[in-house]
Amino acid sequence: MLPALALLAAATINLNQLGFRPGDPKQAIVAAPTPAPLDWQILDATGTVVLRGRTTAGTDDAVSGDRVHIATFDTLTRPGAYRLRAAGVESGTFQVAPTLYAPLARNALAVFYHQRAGTPIEARYVGARWARPAGHAPEIAACFAGKDEAGTVWPGCPTKRDVTGGWYDAGDHGKYVVNAGISAWTLQNLYETGFARRLFADGQARLPESGNGRDDLLNEARWEVEWMLKMQVPPATRMALPIGPQPKSTPLTLTPVDAGGMAFHKVADARWTTIPTAPADDRQPRVLYPPSTAATLNLAAVAAQAARLWRTTDPAFAARCLAAARQAWTAAVRNPDIRAATAFTGSGGYGDDNLADERAWAAAELFATTGEATYRAALSDGPATVPGWADVATLGTITLAVADGVPTKIRDNARARIVTAADGFLAEVPRSGYRIPYASQKYDWGSNSNILNRAVLLGLAARFTGSARYRAGAVDAADYVLGRNPLGQSFVSGTGWKPLQNPHHRFWAHQVDAALPPPPPGVLSGGPNNTAMADPVAVKLKGRCAPQRCWADDINAYALNEMAINWNAPLVWVAAYLDAGGSAPTEKAN
Ligand code: 9MR
Ligand code: CA
């Protein structure tokens, strides 16, 4: 029976469900049991065949579990709506259009407004379906006091702090300085590259700040930066904190230190709330968790970056940011290895044992902003790697490569490291069944963001070299996230014929409560995860899915299908980059 079944297995056509810009590469993957090349046709909106060709021969791909055939149709450049037919099946309708990525970029940025804490989300910006009352407004939090899960007894702080604002991290209502850092940085970096100047010029996004004369992208990032500033510990505050590495799951040894200028690691609920819980209905006490060196360096980096970007348009804010960044840097010099305590319930850990990369990143931002020798001395010149919330050295490298006024030698060295990394990603494309710049079998928590962060580096390499090969790699990454994957799934809500519908989110919980909305358009799912299959849905898939298939569109699948600010940020970046068609305002000579 098996051969017959294999013959009956339907082919699937997987491609970017949004479509393609006319000048970009165009590929689809046909997954079909036959080894022989397959004929394909492209049909226009009237059903007329406008292009035909033949796929490559089928090859077996362990990462997808598919036998993959590649259809290439770069010559389809005339704008219009099309379908691809092969092996007796047809794809959904995709577009060829120059403006394809602008709505995606705008929707993906709007997600940050939806995630705002401490303010009502208004119908006039998001539509009645997604409007909601303010959550955690105001948010006055006390420091964690008492015994944590590991038995450490924390003394608490004498006063409560107002930490209203910022973005909720993800499907939960925690606000974490380390993840705020890479997320706000990514939006600010997109601004600094110039790729989004037109797209997010004042008035282009739907925000309360639209029309205030300032760039909308920078305004959205500022919402988070303002909150990060509130997370800074006042000068000369003595606190008992854990110094250096300490044994896990036994009580920490706490030592009184001057914590002034550090940043609290996070503010979050005392206990996990259930799904669904609208932000305004969260009744848990909000708790500030102990400062960490990682959070402190994230604050230093992002505030220094903001100081640079607001210098001419809001000098007072820029000065406030720079002062905070300098204080944070000094605090991290004084307290170089205070690791985030993670034995608390009710929120994510975001623990990190390597702080060298946070230090290098903060140094790069402060150096790019001030040019001072202290910061220059702390720069790192290691290889560029895929950034993530715990691995941020490359964010500094990117800043050295793009910021105005960085000395040419340092700038060019940073650019060369980024191009080398991009070359590595391009070399993975032919080794990957679905032809993406990532050939590993390892799909980590938030894998879609790793693939998009590769596209960020590829987009930068395209800019630095003028070579279209790198842009093609970024297109491959976007194609994957928008449907060219074995699930035929667009991992972005509101985008394509099979979009994300049920992310793990406490408010967009339509799947479990019909009164609540589905996700707004532009939300990115974390994506396949075969390394930490922790949630109840993932547990059932474990050991039974090819890496790229370890995913489900289910609200309970928090390890596979959550959304998060650090994942949506590179989606904004990549969509804006692709929309810009690789062009951006000519750079100033340094
Ligand atoms: O993105 C984080 C991932 O790298 C970790 O492996 C995972 C488990 O610790 O946590 C992820 O971050 C979550 C955070 O802890 C809480 N808010 C939701 C985040 C996304 O799932
Ligand atoms: Ca780190």
Side-chain angles (χ1 to χ4, degrees):
M1 287 311 285
L2 273 174
L5 271 176
L7 281 175
L8 284 173
T12 59
I13 299 179
N14 299 318
L15 75 170
N16 186 327
Q17 296 174 16
L18 201 51
F20 307 89
R21 295 185 87 249
D24 278 341
K26 301 172 193 72
Q27 288 195 315
I29 298 293
V30 183
T34 31
L38 300 162
D39 291 327
W40 57 257
Q41 297 89 36
I42 294 210
L43 317 177
D44 69 10
T46 68
T48 308
V49 174
V50 293
L51 197 67
R52 54 179 75 243
R54 184 166 284 185
T55 67
T56 57
T59 55
D60 289 329
D61 170 36
V63 180
S64 61
D66 284 346
R67 179 165 288 171
V68 297
H69 305 65
I70 308 162
T72 303
F73 43 99
D74 293 352
T75 55
L76 185 74
T77 56
R78 179 192 292 241
Y82 302 97
R83 282 167 293 143
L84 177 64
R85 181 199 287 157
V89 290
E90 269 180 25
S91 73
T93 300
F94 60 91
Q95 308 289 323
V96 171
T99 54
L100 209 57
Y101 280 101
L104 176 62
R106 292 213 174 93
N107 288 336
L109 181 66
V111 169
F112 290 84
Y113 173 67
H114 282 274
Q115 290 291 108
R116 285 189 188 187
T119 191
I121 304 308
E122 296 186 55
R124 60 184 151 150
Y125 307 120
V126 297
R129 200 172 193 193
W130 285 288
R132 59 170 175 81
H136 308 95
E139 186 170 355
I140 313 291
C143 293
F144 184 92
K147 200 184 264 194
D148 71 15
E149 309 287 303
T152 307
V153 179
W154 299 85
C157 310
T159 51
K160 292 187 170 190
R161 292 187 61 79
D162 182 344
V163 289
T164 308
W167 302 313
Y168 297 119
D169 188 55
D172 64 314
H173 297 142
K175 302 191 295 187
Y176 310 83
V177 172
V178 292
N179 207 40
I182 188 172
S183 308
W185 180 91
T186 301
L187 299 188
Q188 292 191 145
N189 175 259
L190 173 60
Y191 172 80
E192 194 163 33
T193 64
F195 286 129
R197 285 290 152 84
R198 192 180 41 79
L199 195 60
F200 294 128
D202 184 39
Q204 293 297 307
R206 298 166 74 82
L207 297 179
E209 296 81 10
S210 288
N212 70 356
R214 273 80 183 259
D215 183 271
D216 285 346
L217 177 59
L218 216 44
N219 267 134
E220 187 57 67
R222 179 170 171 163
W223 181 262
E224 188 74 339
V225 178
E226 300 261 20
W227 169 75
M228 291 176 79
L229 296 175
K230 294 184 182 180
M231 292 293 279
Q232 192 162 32
V233 177
T237 304
R238 292 201 71 77
M239 295 183 80
L241 297 175
I243 297 177
Q246 302 211 12
K248 305 261 181 219
S249 70
T250 53
L252 298 165
T253 303
L254 305 183
T255 307
V257 299
D258 174 0
M262 292 186 78
F264 289 99
H265 194 65
K266 59 183 174 179
V267 58
D269 287 337
R271 304 267 159 212
W272 287 111
T273 57
T274 51
I275 281 193
T277 300
D281 300 337
D282 179 6
R283 296 285 167 263
Q284 282 293 316
R286 297 294 275 186
V287 181
L288 273 169
Y289 293 91
S292 67
T293 303
T296 304
L297 289 166
N298 269 260
L299 171 62
V302 170
Q305 183 194 29
R308 188 165 74 238
L309 303 179
W310 287 97
R311 190 148 45 194
T312 54
T313 49
D314 190 344
F317 179 61
R320 186 152 71 88
C321 287
L322 186 55
R326 288 183 186 282
Q327 279 161 23
W329 175 266
T330 306
V333 170
R334 196 189 322 121
N335 297 305
D337 196 13
I338 295 183
R339 306 198 184 175
T342 55
F344 303 105
T345 184
S347 52
Y350 284 117
D352 184 356
D353 287 337
N354 179 8
L355 307 178
D357 54 303
E358 280 75 13
R359 195 164 289 112
W361 174 35
E365 298 300 340
L366 279 155
F367 175 67
T369 303
T370 68
E372 290 171 16
T374 325
Y375 306 125
R376 182 176 183 150
L379 298 179
S380 120
D381 60 359
T385 54
V386 185
W389 62 263
D391 194 358
V392 288
T394 300
L395 307 184
T397 308
I398 295 172
T399 284
L400 296 174
V402 302
D404 277 343
V406 173
T408 314
K409 211 174 135 200
I410 294 177
R411 186 197 69 184
D412 288 350
N413 173 280
R415 290 185 178 185
R417 286 182 281 144
I418 289 166
V419 172
T420 301
D423 284 331
F425 304 152
L426 284 188
E428 294 186 50
V429 174
R431 291 195 275 119
S432 137
Y434 271 73
R435 294 302 191 271
I436 62 171
Y438 182 66
S440 166
Q441 302 251 2
K442 203 169 154 250
Y443 276 67
D444 283 331
W445 199 305
S447 64
N448 281 338
S449 74
N450 299 336
I451 290 166
L452 288 172
N453 276 322
R454 285 170 177 244
V456 168
L457 289 163
L458 285 158
L460 290 166
R463 151 78 77 82
F464 302 149
T465 61
S467 164
R469 301 189 308 125
Y470 300 107
R471 181 179 170 92
V475 170
D476 284 327
D479 284 355
Y480 168 83
V481 162
L482 296 172
R484 199 175 87 203
N485 56 63
L487 302 165
Q489 179 72 45
S490 164
F491 290 114
V492 180
S493 56
T495 308
W497 55 82
K498 192 182 176 192
L500 165 71
Q501 282 174 317
N502 302 308
H504 180 80
H505 197 274
R506 280 170 173 67
F507 180 60
W508 306 324
H510 191 74
Q511 188 185 2
V512 290
D513 182 346
L516 288 169
V523 175
L524 176 74
S525 165
N529 176 352
N530 69 350
T531 64
M533 303 187 71
D535 68 58
V537 179
V539 160
K540 292 191 189 139
L541 283 170
K542 199 170 176 171
R544 309 197 305 148
C545 48
Q548 286 176 342
R549 291 175 178 271
C550 297
W551 185 82
D553 192 2
D554 189 313
I555 194 168
N556 295 310
Y558 61 79
L560 316 177
N561 202 35
E562 190 158 2
M563 64 78 61
I565 54 174
N566 62 317
W567 304 340
N568 243 77
L571 178 63
V572 179
W573 200 109
V574 171
Y577 160 73
L578 292 174
D579 174 67
S583 68
T586 322
E587 293 169 70
K588 291 182 208 132
N590 287 320

